[in-house]
Amino acid sequence: TDILASGGHFLEGGYNGTISASFFSPIAGRNAWTGTQAVGAQHFILTRVDLPPSASEHDVRLRWRAAFDLSGSPAVAGWRIDDVTLSIMTCCGAQIAGAPPASVQEESCAPSNSAPDPDETIVVGFPLQNVGDQASTDLTATLLAGGGVLAPGPAQSYGSLLRGGPSVSRSFRFVPSGECGEAIDVTLELRDGAVDLGRRSFHLAMGSPEILFSENFDGVAAPALPSGWIPTRPLGATPSLWASGFLSVSVPNSAFTRGSSAASDNRLDSPVIPVGAGDFAELSFRNRYEFESGYDGGVLEISIGGAAFTDILEAGGSFLDGGYSRTLALASGNPLAGRRAWSGTRSDASPGFVTTRVRLPASALGQTIRIRWRAGFDAAFSPQSAIWRIDNVLLTLTRCCNQPCHLAC
């Protein structure tokens, strides 16, 4: 997970922008380092970050993740890191850690949804806990502007927090800023009397998500599919129709199709799913594919309101993570030839699945939909290991309070 989402916070040289959701970057919508930052010695700057308190007394792995969209990249583009140091500070005195989750206590926008919404005035309780070896004497926290926080209220006193004692929460008033579904990073600056104890951050998502549909294929005996799931193969005699089977994220089943060395079009359609009114709907699923690279592949399609199926991107959707990897060759004879698709091999996440997240088209809101996983094969070679598996399908609808509501609410 992102260092901030897991409870860490930057002390210096943190993220400097938000990645656009318009060009299908796998980290679209996330805060990140972007643009050019080359102002330090030898064009390096110093980044310092406090790890999450939960990392204490555990093994950790750190990942530097670079992602690129489809719009092209400068010839000089690159990212360098050097002199990585991880240190443990053992110190006397009060050591204050955030103790999520934060709780929304008051909202100015009605009806309330127990979540921050853009441009409403809210009161949120932020719990802190003393993990040091001495009690604090006069702990105060100041809510800082920035990171999606506007008009922060006054500092609050946490007083004396006992060593190893329970978490204590205080309430802060502010106005969240950003788009529905975005995350804001709320930062508290801490002092115990005259002693600076640094900053602690809380990660809050704007809007209230509702689960519309989920399926993990575990409630049936393989090779059966759950009720309402429809496998079809309008072209070709192989491979076998989509079915459920072993090797999955949740035990015991995933849904899968094998490969074919003859031209084929193998499809799996979800049940009809009603999508209510809201700000946006997001589909996620775990995805593992092994196709002949550039010639065989899989796509995601959607039918809205009973209309014909179209590619999720053509319909107006956008991938947030784990999107298509290649364009299939035009001369391959594959029924999906020339289209963007998942192709090649993608099985680098435990247990061999990656997460795909896609924002559904706005036209799907208030409609019924069906989702199609469609595998296409050419008339030539297909690896014996060729297979496509999906698991843990989840569709959520996020709503934000859209009542006109501004700083004076």
Side-chain angles (χ1 to χ4, degrees):
T1 58
D2 189 275
I3 191 68
L4 299 181
S6 61
H9 68 281
F10 287 109
L11 302 172
E12 186 177 359
Y15 298 147
N16 63 351
T18 301
I19 303 300
S20 170
S22 301
F23 297 103
F24 315 121
S25 168
I27 58 171
R30 290 177 56 173
N31 289 332
W33 291 291
T34 186
T36 300
Q37 185 74 272
V39 297
Q42 296 184 334
H43 303 300
F44 284 79
I45 62 167
L46 177 64
T47 292
R48 297 168 53 235
V49 58
D50 271 353
L51 297 193
S54 57
S56 179
E57 299 185 3
H58 289 83
D59 294 335
V60 300
R61 287 185 100 166
L62 300 174
R63 171 177 289 168
W64 287 261
R65 182 181 178 189
F68 306 90
D69 62 22
L70 302 177
S71 63
S73 185
V76 296
W79 185 18
R80 296 178 186 272
I81 65 169
D82 202 359
D83 291 349
V84 178
T85 301
L86 178 61
S87 58
I88 299 175
M89 182 178 295
T90 303
C91 183
C92 56
Q95 299 292 313
I96 307 301
S103 60
V104 176
Q105 300 169 343
E106 296 180 27
E107 305 175 64
S108 67
C109 197
S112 62
N113 58 3
S114 300
D117 296 308
D119 298 330
E120 72 170 345
T121 300
I122 62 173
V123 175
V124 179
F126 294 106
L128 299 176
Q129 188 173 26
N130 187 353
V131 295
D133 61 5
Q134 292 183 17
S136 67
T137 57
D138 185 20
L139 179 65
T140 60
T142 301
L143 177 60
L144 302 181
V149 173
L150 298 177
Q156 300 294 323
S157 173
Y158 284 75
S160 176
L161 296 191
L162 299 179
R163 180 186 70 173
S167 63
V168 174
S169 183
R170 293 291 182 264
S171 302
F172 294 80
R173 183 179 298 270
F174 66 98
V175 176
S177 175
E179 299 295 327
C180 184
E182 288 183 349
I184 58 176
D185 294 306
V186 180
T187 301
L188 300 179
E189 189 172 67
L190 306 180
R191 299 190 70 85
D192 188 19
V195 180
D196 183 355
L197 297 182
R199 298 176 177 183
R200 301 295 179 267
S201 295
F202 291 79
H203 196 70
L204 304 177
M206 288 194 286
S208 177
E210 170 192 355
I211 296 177
L212 300 181
F213 177 83
S214 65
E215 182 57 70
N216 59 16
F217 305 102
D218 297 333
V220 294
L225 290 166
S227 176
W229 288 80
I230 302 174
T232 58
R233 191 185 57 234
L235 173 66
T238 59
S240 299
L241 293 175
W242 281 80
S244 66
F246 70 97
L247 189 54
S248 59
V249 177
S250 58
V251 177
N253 295 328
S254 62
F256 74 94
T257 175
R258 295 196 180 276
S260 174
S261 57
S264 180
D265 185 353
N266 210 14
R267 305 172 177 182
L268 177 64
D269 294 353
S270 75
V272 174
I273 306 170
V275 179
D279 287 80
F280 64 88
E282 181 179 310
L283 173 73
S284 67
F285 60 96
R286 302 302 298 276
N287 193 4
R288 173 174 179 156
Y289 54 90
E290 297 179 47
F291 291 111
E292 181 189 10
S293 183
Y295 295 93
D296 300 335
V299 298
L300 188 70
E301 298 181 336
I302 187 171
S303 168
I304 300 174
F309 281 91
T310 57
D311 189 275
I312 192 69
L313 299 181
E314 182 181 344
S318 59
F319 285 110
L320 304 174
D321 203 1
Y324 295 149
S325 58
R326 286 172 176 78
T327 299
L328 300 181
L330 281 170
S332 67
N334 186 326
L336 303 177
R339 289 178 57 171
R340 293 288 296 172
W342 291 292
S343 187
T345 299
R346 185 69 189 268
S347 57
D348 57 357
S350 178
F353 288 75
V354 296
T355 298
T356 291
R357 296 171 51 233
V358 58
R359 181 77 59 89
L360 296 193
S363 57
L365 299 175
Q367 301 285 336
T368 59
I369 64 168
R370 283 190 113 137
I371 303 296
R372 170 175 289 170
W373 288 262
R374 183 180 176 189
F377 304 92
D378 65 11
F381 168 80
S382 182
Q384 287 188 342
S385 61
I387 197 166
W388 186 16
R389 299 182 184 274
I390 64 167
D391 204 0
N392 291 17
V393 177
L394 179 68
L395 180 64
T396 59
L397 177 69
T398 297
R399 298 182 177 93
C400 284
C401 182
N402 292 316
Q403 168 189 318
C405 185
H406 304 287
L407 300 185
C409 289

